[in-house]
């Protein structure tokens, strides 16, 4: 297999009560696994593409054979997005960013609370399935964006430093239709140390 499903970096129940164990189990073991398996299936007859990185594939979709382009966009995007998502959460998460990341957030949004409001609006305003993101540009400026389906900032050459999955599969068992409650709970598990590392590497 070309791409492997990474293990969750913590136990299924580690993010409770904010994200419940059953949701994490299904999300990782079923949904993330399906994206991984289907990405590998799409590449099965394309040996020349199997040694490419996932980032390369997502940034060169237009050069891929048309027959697999959609499958790589959807499943490769899903593969990358979920790899990323698990890493920016932690059972020791929450609180607020510090240092140069906090300064960049204040510069862009005015305050941490204003940033959270803008990010929550992006997450809540994404109609249907998609993601909310915090990205950094090469000058160190941060901004909020969102993508539909499993599209990802990687496809646009952007550097994501925080992401939130707002597909119903990410929250429906525990929150049903209350996406705003799920978004509020997310702040309790954000791994700001990881986000700061991504900021430092990406700016
Ligand atoms: Fe998901």
């Amino acid at each position: 297999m070309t791409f492997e499903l990474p293990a969750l970096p913590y136990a299924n129940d580690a993010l409770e009560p904010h994200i419940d164990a059953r949701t994490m189990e299904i999300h990782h073991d079923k949904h993330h696994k399906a994206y991984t398996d289907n990405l590998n299936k799409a590449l099965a007859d394309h040996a020349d593409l199997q040694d490419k990185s996932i980032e390369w594939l997502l940034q060169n979709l237009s050069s891929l054979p048309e027959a697999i382009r959609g499958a790589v966009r959807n499943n490769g995007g899903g593969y990358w997005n979920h790899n990323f998502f698990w890493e920016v959460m932690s059972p020791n998460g929450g609180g607020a960013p510090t240092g140069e990341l906090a300064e960049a957030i204040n510069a862009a949004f005015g305050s941490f609370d204003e940033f959270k409001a803008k990010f929550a609006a992006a997450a809540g305003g994404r109609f249907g399935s998609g993601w909310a993101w915090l990205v950094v540009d090469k000058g160190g400026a941060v901004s909020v964006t969102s993508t539909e389906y499993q599209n990802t900032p990687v496809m646009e050459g952007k550097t994501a430093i925080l992401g939130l999955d707002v597909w119903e599969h990410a929250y429906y068992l525990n929150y049903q239709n209350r996406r705003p409650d799920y978004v509020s709970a997310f702040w309790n598990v954000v791994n700001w140390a990881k986000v700061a590392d991504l900021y430092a590497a990406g700016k």
Side-chain angles (χ1 to χ4, degrees):
M1 298 298 262
T2 308
F3 291 100
E4 290 186 3
L5 177 67
L8 274 181
Y10 32 73
N12 286 339
D13 64 358
L15 304 182
E16 288 197 344
H18 312 294
I19 303 180
D20 64 288
R22 183 73 172 140
T23 294
M24 290 299 293
E25 179 189 349
I26 295 170
H27 201 172
H28 176 270
D29 297 1
K30 306 294 185 189
H31 292 280
H32 195 184
K33 182 175 190 302
Y35 295 124
T36 309
D37 291 348
N38 289 327
L39 173 62
N40 287 326
K41 258 182 228 164
L43 299 175
D45 295 330
H46 299 273
D48 57 317
L49 298 175
Q50 291 172 2
D51 62 350
K52 302 293 190 187
S53 69
I54 186 60
E55 289 82 8
W56 187 94
L57 290 169
L58 292 170
Q59 287 166 0
N60 291 276
L61 287 170
S62 62
S63 73
L64 303 184
E66 197 173 349
I68 64 166
R69 195 175 300 156
V72 172
R73 181 182 66 242
N74 293 334
N75 295 292
Y79 177 74
W80 190 94
N81 287 343
H82 289 83
N83 287 358
F84 181 87
F85 186 44
W86 312 136
E87 294 291 332
V88 295
M89 298 188 291
S90 166
N92 303 311
T98 57
E100 61 179 8
L101 173 60
E103 290 168 19
I105 286 173
N106 289 337
F109 305 104
S111 68
F112 181 51
D113 283 344
E114 288 290 323
F115 155 68
K116 287 201 293 183
K118 185 142 193 205
F119 188 91
R126 168 52 59 193
F127 183 76
S129 298
W131 292 74
W133 303 98
L134 181 66
V135 300
V136 62
D137 69 20
K138 285 297 173 196
V142 293
S143 56
V144 165
T145 185
S146 77
T147 57
E148 63 179 355
Y149 307 119
Q150 292 298 352
N151 289 355
T152 170
V154 177
M155 293 173 189
E156 303 165 21
K158 293 178 180 171
T159 301
I161 61 173
L162 181 66
L164 175 61
D165 188 345
V166 295
W167 284 57
E168 283 189 346
H169 70 222
Y171 61 88
Y172 205 84
L173 280 181
N174 195 35
Y175 293 97
Q176 292 81 50
N177 63 327
R178 304 189 310 277
R179 187 190 291 184
D181 292 352
Y182 160 70
V183 176
S184 295
F186 174 64
W187 299 119
N188 295 302
V189 296
V190 172
N191 183 351
W192 287 111
K194 178 68 179 179
V195 179
D197 287 347
L198 292 167
Y199 176 80
K203 73 185 171 107

